[in-house]
Amino acid sequence: GVVTATDVAGWPCEYYITIKFDNAAPTFTAQIDGRDYSEADGIWITSKYLTLSGTITETGSGASKVYYKKYESVPSANDKSTFATNYKKANGNDGVIGADTSTSTATYSGTITDLKEGQNNNYILLLVEDNVGNHRLDNVVYHLNVDSTAPTIDTSTGIVYTNGSTPVTVTGTCFDKDSGIEKVEVSITKEDTVIVDSFEATVADSD
């Protein structure tokens, strides 16, 4: 394009503008607290906030922002369509993370807060946008379960005597109200806290 300015005396001045077209939406990756998301049944996290990060691939106008929207149940097709249409409007999103374009690969990183405690209470949609408004809604619905409370252990095993060769039996119960008990480890130390043995105990009931 050309911009021409002419003064009263008739002298023209021309300025040339290069116009480039970008009709392609960017693509992006997403990690939850540094982990790739790949579990259909959701992943457990240990707090009501998380770090969302990843890379953005954009070959035209440049990467701009990543928008997110939180839901307390699985978002419907209408929810997805509404978010993709209204993501820039008031209440159309729950947060925006700006892209860092200081390196050859655009990246983004931000914190999502106020997640709900427990299982099946947090579902997140993500949408990426470039600098001219081309945008792409991620096909993945990020399903997050929050367990911010450590399990408890109750054991009646106190002092156990052994000659060093006979087995030592430790019994008790563990309780976790959200994600459940994954494993129980028992370690044995001797005098100067030297670990003599460490093994996984059998979990009879994860409740």
Side-chain angles (χ1 to χ4, degrees):
V2 180
V3 177
T4 303
T6 305
D7 65 14
V8 176
W11 289 105
C13 175
E14 294 183 341
Y15 185 84
Y16 292 87
I17 300 174
T18 300
I19 299 175
K20 295 182 178 181
F21 293 91
D22 176 7
N23 297 314
T27 60
F28 68 119
T29 64
Q31 290 187 319
I32 306 296
D33 289 338
R35 294 183 289 169
D36 291 329
Y37 182 90
S38 60
E39 299 184 31
D41 294 330
I43 60 175
W44 284 96
I45 58 176
T46 57
S47 68
K48 295 180 182 179
Y49 62 89
L50 61 86
T51 299
L52 177 68
S53 60
T55 60
I56 304 174
T57 301
E58 163 62 28
T59 58
S61 59
S64 178
K65 301 177 183 69
V66 171
Y67 296 78
Y68 64 85
K69 183 75 173 176
K70 298 182 295 183
Y71 302 84
E72 294 184 16
S73 59
V74 180
S76 64
N78 184 64
D79 290 331
K80 297 176 183 179
S81 176
T82 299
F83 177 46
T85 303
N86 300 325
Y87 69 95
K88 279 190 171 183
K89 297 180 180 179
N91 300 319
N93 67 74
D94 289 318
V96 184
I97 303 172
D100 180 359
T101 56
S102 60
T103 61
S104 57
T105 300
T107 61
Y108 68 95
S109 181
T111 303
I112 298 179
T113 60
D114 298 325
L115 298 173
K116 304 293 183 181
E117 186 83 17
Q119 190 172 16
N120 301 330
N121 295 325
N122 304 283
Y123 301 86
I124 297 175
L125 294 178
L126 302 179
L127 181 147
V128 65
E129 182 187 51
D130 66 16
N131 286 313
V132 294
N134 297 313
H135 60 274
R136 184 187 303 275
L137 177 67
D138 197 343
N139 290 327
V140 177
V141 176
Y142 294 84
H143 176 192
L144 307 170
N145 304 307
V146 178
D147 181 357
S148 60
T149 304
T152 58
I153 299 177
D154 182 16
T155 176
S156 59
T157 305
I159 299 174
V160 180
Y161 290 93
T162 179
N163 60 11
S165 60
T166 58
V168 173
T169 301
V170 179
T171 60
T173 59
C174 299
F175 173 77
D176 187 274
K177 69 181 182 66
D178 288 320
S179 59
I181 302 298
E182 179 182 22
K183 63 181 179 180
V184 177
E185 282 191 347
V186 178
S187 61
I188 302 173
T189 60
K190 181 180 180 181
E191 296 178 353
D192 298 328
T193 68
V194 177
I195 296 178
V196 177
D197 197 3
S198 180
F199 57 92
E200 291 188 8
T202 300
V203 180
D205 189 343
S206 61
D207 294 333

